[in-house]
Structures are given as structure tokens and as C-alpha cells.
Amino acid sequence: MRKPILLVCLTLIPVSFARAQIPTSERDALIALYNATNGASWTPPTWDTATTGSECTTWKGVSCNASDRVSSLELQYSNLDGTLPAELGNLEQLIILKLFGNPHLTGSIPPELENLALLQYFEAFNCALTGSIPQELGNLSNLGHIRLYNNQLTGSIPPELGNLSKLRYLILSGNQLTGSIPSELGTLDLWGLDLGFNQLSGSIPPELSNLTNLYGFIVEFNQLSGSIPSFLGTFSNLYFLELTSNQFTGGIPPELGDLPNLQVLELGSNQLSGAIPPMLGSLAGTLLELRLEHNRLTGSIPPQLGNLSVLERLYLYGNRLSGEIPTELENLTSLLDSNGLRIRWNALHTDNASLISFLDDKQYHDDWSSTQTIPPENPAVSRIGNHTVWLSWDAVSYTTDSGGFEVFSSPTGTSVWTSGGWTESKSTLTFPVTGLDPGTSYDLAVVTYTDPHADNLNLVNSDFSAQVTATTADTGCSQPVIDISGTGMGPFTLSLTEGYGSYLWSTGETTATIDVDSTSGQWYWVTVNPGGPCEETAAVFLDPEIFTDGFESGGTTEWSSEVP
């Protein structure tokens, strides 16, 4: 009697583990996906679509819930080749949809996905999806993750995504999205927002100030403009703030120094101006990367940056930073050797041997000093007249990129500095400061400047050189006057309004009148002598380049008013 009972029990065991077949509509949806994406070429094993009832147990990437409904579809890195069918919208109890890592998955995202009311994960990054992001995704009220980066999606970010109250991660970087960042995203409780490597424009919406739980805010490589909002300094959970390669202007908010967990701060390749906030030194113990390269930052490096004890990368190259490098930077011992520091193409300097050695060890390619725009040494007075002082100076070592020198004068004791002109080349080592008052003591100084170039789009000027003092003569000699005639782009005629015994122009000519065919701004001067001790020089800047809006092109007006 026991044997039949045992056989009955053995017969019932397989039946107790059998699963019912999934609904026909869901099976059809899976087969539609298989056919639309060339399932025969998927990374093995593929689906046995001829067999029914095994979808939940043997079909790769398919999982079902206790009700025999498809709840998970995970086909990442499976060599899907084709498009997503609209039938996916029939998987009404789907919670997870992971399709990432299929570079041949093309076409648009079906709007029918709005039927997936239970969907929590939608991840289809590193594919080749095209078209726009369907606004219907905004109906998926349970969606917590949208990761669609590294596709070819176009159009704007649907503001309807602001309806997704459970959304925690929105990662759309590496597409071709345009338009502005929807202010509606500010209604969410996002933890990660990555919209980088798109073509987004406009400013950061103030409504995003509500995203106080963000740990990653990444919008690099877009066309965003305006100022960096100070409210980012209230995001106490923020670990990554990456705004590189946009068109942000204004200063760096000092409030960013209030972020207690910040590890990466990347603001490079924008149009930021002003000084580096000393408050950034408060990020000690957390900040690993500080990248401010290729902006328009001025002033000196704050010594407080030496507090960043775990900093591995400090990139400040391609700005207009000037002054002496603080010795506190030697405290940055965590900087990577030979790649942790990049400060080239500024106007920085130091004579501290220990600091120089440290910077050489940390600087990329061991060379930080050869591209610094520094003032010339040994300025000296070579000749003095009633209205003119001739200055000379030593050559500078950085001549790879073009530039020149500007001379300044100030009546001694007044600290009211006036530009006396500039050379057109770093090889010119003398210049006449003209238009001075007779019998007056003047302080004089020289500034080196480097023109914009491929490695730094800024006009960079050095600190002022050491000052020299000279007193003009008072022998009654008059200042010559140069008359300019000509229109448009020239040619022009330069002539003296009075006759003199001798003439020597900066062009080498020795006549009273010269013709010049200048197509760009240039200084000309002439030294005359009517006979006797009255040798005097007059100088004039000739700039025929006028834009149609009436503004001069070129010139050094943005910095020539600075004082030592």
C-alpha cells in the first residue's frame, strides 16, 4: 500500500512547482520585442518563442510576479538590434525595464509606455535611441529612475516629468536635447540630476532651489548661461557639482564653500570672472577635485586653498590670475604627482625655492612657470625731456605667445596712474612716455601683456614692475603735435604741425610727414629737434579698425586703467 502512495506523491511534486502561462497580451508583447530587435542575434541564450508556459522560467531577462505577470524585463548588454515595439505598453505590471548597453537599439521610445503604471526603473542608456522623450512618461507615477544617457535623443526635456513625484534619478546626459531645463523639475525630490553633454540653453531655473536632497548636479557641456545660483550652496547632500563647458558668467558663489560633503567641483570652460572665493578653502577633508580652468578669473590664488587636505586635482590654467603664489599650497600633499596641478597661462610667480620644487612635482608635464605673464625686470629711465621720459627694461622669457608691454606714469605721491601706451611686441624693450608736464616728478612702471591665443582666450596682464622715478626737464621746450589725416581703413598721413630741424619716426623715416597703411591698431612716435637742447617726442595711437556698430576692435582698454 505504501508504494502507490509514494508514487502519487512523486507525481504531485512537479505539479506543485509548475507556473501558469502569462497572459496572451504579455506573451505577444515579448515576442513583438524579440522580433523587432532581431532576437535570433541576441547574446545567448535567446528565447524559445515556440514554447508556451516557460516565459517566466527560461526566457533570459524575464521575471514574473506571483500572479504570473511579467514584472521585470532586464536585457542589458544583450545585443538588441532594432526598435522598441509599441506592444511593450501591454506589460501592465512591469516594474523594471532595463535595456542599457545595446548600441544597436534604435528608434524612438514608444509613448505607449504610459500604460506601465507600476514601472519604477526605466534604464536604456548607451543605446542609439532617437526621437524625443515622450511626454507620456510623465504619467508613470511610480517611476523612480530614468536613465537614458548616451543616446541620440533630441527635442526638449518634457516638463511633464515634473509630475513624477517619486522620481529620484533623472539622467539624460549625452544626448542632443535642446531647450531649457524645465522649472517643473523643481517640484521633485531628486537625488541625482545629470543633463550634461546636451545642447540645453537658458539659465538654471530658480525653482531647482527646492532640490535640497541632490547628491549629484551635472549639467556640463551645454549652452547654459546666466550666473551660477547661490542656492546651490544650500544643497548639503551634494557630492558632485559639475557645470563645465557652458556659458555661465559672473562670479563663483562663495556659498559653495558651505557644502559639507562636496567632493567634485567642476566649473571650467565658462566665462566666470572675479576672484576665487577664499570660502572654497572650507571644503577641507572632502573636496577631491577643484577645476576652474578656462574662465576669466582674476586676482591671486587664495591661501585658504591650502586647507584642502585631500585635494587630488587643482586646475586653474587659462585664467587671468596674477600675483605671488601662496606658500600654503605646499600643504596640498594629496595632489597627484605630475598631474594634480595645472596653473599654466596665468600671471603667477614665486621666488620660494621649496614651493617651486613642490609645484614642479605636481604640475602636469612639470612646467608651470614658462607660460606665466610676469613683469619685466630692471625698468630704467634712458632719456628725459620736458614732456617725455624714455623707459627701457629687460626682456621676458615667455615670448611663445604674442603680446607686448604697457607703460604707466603717475605724478609722484598721487597714485593716479595713466597709461602712456604699449608696444606691439614682446621684443620691443623701450617706449617713450609722452604728454608729461615739465619739471614734475613721476613714478613709472611697466606691465607685460599676452594676447589671447589657443590655450587662453583672455588678454592676460602681469603685475606691475618695480617702479622708477624721474623728474622731467623744465627748459621751456614745447611738446610737438602730430596731425592725422585719412579716413576709413587708410592710408593715413602723419605730419608735424610745426617745422623742426630733424625728425626721427618709429618707422625709421626722417621726414616731417610720413604715409602709413595701418590696418590694425599701432603706436607711432616721432622725435624732433628744432636745434639746441629741445629734443622732444610725440606719440599717437592709430587704430583704423572700427566695427560697424562704432566700437573699436582690439586694444587694451579692458585692463590699461589698472594701477600698481
Side-chain angles (χ1 to χ4, degrees), residues 419-424 431 434 506 521-525 539-542:
S419 173
W422 52 89
T423 72
E424 301 297 322
F431 198 90
T434 63
S506 53
Q522 187 171 342
W523 281 92
Y524 295 89
W525 60 83
V540 64
F541 182 67
L542 183 62

Side-chain angles (χ1 to χ4, degrees), residues 320-396:
R320 300 175 63 208
L321 299 172
S322 60
E324 189 166 354
I325 301 173
T327 57
E328 287 82 356
L329 291 194
E330 281 195 73
N331 297 329
L332 302 180
T333 55
S334 295
L335 289 178
L336 301 177
D337 289 341
S338 301
N339 194 25
L341 181 71
R342 300 191 183 190
I343 58 174
R344 302 186 76 195
W345 299 293
N346 281 290
L348 301 167
H349 58 87
T350 181
D351 294 326
N352 186 298
S354 175
L355 179 59
I356 290 173
S357 177
F358 175 81
L359 298 176
D360 287 344
D361 288 341
K362 302 301 182 180
Q363 169 67 35
Y364 179 64
H365 284 172
D366 306 323
D367 179 15
W368 61 272
S369 60
S370 67
T371 59
Q372 302 297 330
T373 302
I374 60 175
E377 295 184 348
N378 300 318
V381 175
S382 57
R383 291 186 314 199
I384 298 176
N386 281 247
H387 303 277
T388 305
V389 173
W390 281 82
L391 276 180
S392 62
W393 51 85
D394 291 349
V396 295

